[in-house]
Amino acid sequence: MAAQFGRRLCKGAATTAVAAVAVAALSASQAPGVNDHGRQAAADATPSPDASASDGSATGNSPYYTDLPPLNSPSPSPSTGTGPTTPGTSEAGIPATVLDAYKKAEAALRDAKPGCNLPWQLLAAIGRVESGQARGGRVNAEGTTISPILGPQLDGNGFALIKDTDNGAYDGNSTYDQAVGPMQFIPSTWAWAGRDANGDGKKDPNNIYDAALAAGHYLCRFDWDLSDQRDLDRAILSYNNSREYLNLVMRWLEYYRKGTHEVPDGTGTLPGNRSDNGAGASPGPSTPRTPGTPAAGGSKPKPSPPAKPGGGGTTKPKPPTTPPATPPDSPSTPPSPPATPTDTVHHLEDAGTAKLTAMAGDTFTKRISTRAETKAGKAVGKVRIRFTIVGDTDTTFTGGESVATVATNSSGVAVAPALQAGEKTGDVTVRATVVGRMVAGLDYTATVTERAADALARTGDAALTCAPGGEFANQVEVKATYKGAVADGVAATATLIKSADDPTPNDKGPFFKDADGKAVRTLTGLKTDAKGLLKLPKLYADDTTGTFLLRIATEGGATLTVELTVAAAETSSPSPSASPSA
C-alpha cells in the first residue's frame, strides 16, 4: 500500500499503540469536553455497550492512517490575504473533486434519508483516515483514482481473515479480500453498499463519487441520526471497529468543521503514518519488489570492502552458504490458515419463519430467521448472513436498504431486520446467503397486499336531499379504518345502485359528473387520504324523484350504503277564504 498512497514517512515507532496514545494525548489537549457544536467530544464520549455490535465493518477493520490534525485552527486568519499559508491550512485543504464528491453525497442523503443528518465533514474525516483523501486527490476528471488504492490482503496474518468473496473482481485477489478505493470498502460490503453516484451505469469503489455516496448510505443505515453522539459513535465504529479509529475520525471531523478549503486535485497533503506501521501493505500498481531490492526511499545495502592483502587482523569473507536443496518430491508449502466458522457452514435452514404478509406501506410484523449449519446439522455461530431483497419491488428493510448483513448467534440463527412493505403489491423474494462461503442460498417469500379497510362510516349525519334537476347541498364523506386504526391509501369505488339486492349501476336518479360534464353513476380509482378520509364529488339529480342508494366499497371488504332522497319542494297550502259576513 506504500506505493499506492504516495510517499510515506518511515517512522518505526508509530505503532498502533503509540498512535492510540497520541490520539488520547491530542484529545486531552484539544477537547475541553464539549466541542464547538455542543456535542460531547469523542474522547469523553463512551460508546454505548452495543456501539460495536455491527454487522461487520465497511473496511474489514483494515489498517488506516493515524496522522493527527494540527492543534491550531484550520480557519485562515483574516489578515492572511495572499500572504504565506498559515500552519494547519494545508492540512485543511481538500482536493477539489474529492470535496465535491463529499458535498454531493451529503445533498443526496439529505433527500434520501433526511433523518440521518449526515455532514459531509464526516465523509471527509473518514476519507482522510482511510486514503489521505484519495492520495491527495490523485483522481481523473470523472473522480476515478489514477491507480487503484488497495489495503493489505486480509489473510489473518495480523489482520482479519476474510477469504475472497468477489473472485478478485474489485481487488484483483482471488484468495483473500482487500479493502478497495478511496473509502476502503471490502468487496463483500461493496457488493450491497455500492452506489452509482456519477450516473455512468456502474458502481465503482475506485470512483470517489460512487464511494462517497456508498459511505454515506452505509453510515445512515439502521435509522441512525448522526446528530446524536451515540448514533454517530455507532456509525463510525461500524466502519472500522476500533476505539482509536473512532477518536481519530472525530478529531478530523471537528477539525474540518472549523474550516476547510478547496485545493487542486493531486496537491492534497499526504499522511505519513499508518496503524499497522506499513506492514502488509500492498504494492499497488507498480512493479512488486523482488527480494533484496530496497523499498522506495530506502538506501541500497553497501557491499563489504574487500580484504586487504596482508592486512593483519582482517578476516577473509566467507563464501555464501548454499541452503540444502528441497527434495523434488517434498515441495515446501505454507501452512493453511485455520478453519473459520464460515468454512464449516454446509447449508442454511429456515429457523421457524412465520408467514410473511403485510399491507402496502406497513411494516411486516414477522421477521426472517435463518440458521447456519454444518454438514452434520450442527449450528454455526459467528457467521455473517446476508439478506438481499431481489426483484422489481419497492419493499425494503427498515431504514430503506435492500440488503442487510447479520451475524448468527450462538444457536447459529440470524434474524433479519423487519421488512417495510412498499406500494407495489405481490410476492417479494428475500434471499439469505453466507458471506464468504459458496453455499446454496435460501429464498423466502413475503407478500405485499393492497391496503385494506374493514369498516366505513360517514363523518357527518346531515340529510342528503335534492330537488329534481338540482344539486345535492352536502357532499358524501366517509372515514375508513382497519382494526380500529386509520386506513390510509385504501382503494375504493362508489356506485349508485338499483337496490339493496341489485348492486348494478342505476340508469336514473342521482349521478356524478365526469370531466366533460356527462353523467356517471360509478366512480373508480378512489383512495382514502392520510387520515383515512374519502370525500366524494358533488352529486346531481335528474327529474326522477324517490329514494336512491349510493354504495361505497373498499379493498378489504368494507362497504357502506348511503340513502339519497330526490323530492319536489313542499308547497304551502292556500289559506282558507274568509267566511261571508252575516
Side-chain angles (χ1 to χ4, degrees), residues 1-6 8 65 135 138 145-153 170-173 178-181 184 206 274 278 280-289 296:
M1 186 181 283
Q4 290 178 309
F5 283 96
R8 306 285 179 99
Y65 286 116
R135 295 179 302 194
R138 293 188 65 236
T145 56
I146 302 300
S147 55
I149 301 175
L150 296 175
Q153 68 176 14
Y170 294 118
D171 54 16
N173 189 336
Q178 295 174 246
V180 181
Q184 290 289 276
N206 294 298
R274 209 177 58 169
S282 296
S286 58
T287 304
R289 265 194 312 126

Side-chain angles (χ1 to χ4, degrees), residues 358-360 362 449-456 480-483 485-491 528 554-558:
M359 288 193 298
D362 286 355
T449 63
E450 294 280 358
R451 294 172 183 254
D454 57 11
L456 284 171
T481 56
Y482 183 79
K483 295 183 179 179
V486 167
D488 62 310
V490 177
T528 59
T554 67
E555 187 73 30

Side-chain angles (χ1 to χ4, degrees), residues 13-27 64 66 68 242-245 247-248 275:
T15 61
T16 304
V18 172
V21 172
V23 172
L26 182 63
S27 300
Y64 53 89
T66 58
L68 303 171
S242 160
R243 181 54 188 261
E244 289 75 21
Y245 183 88
N247 288 340
L248 183 60
S275 60

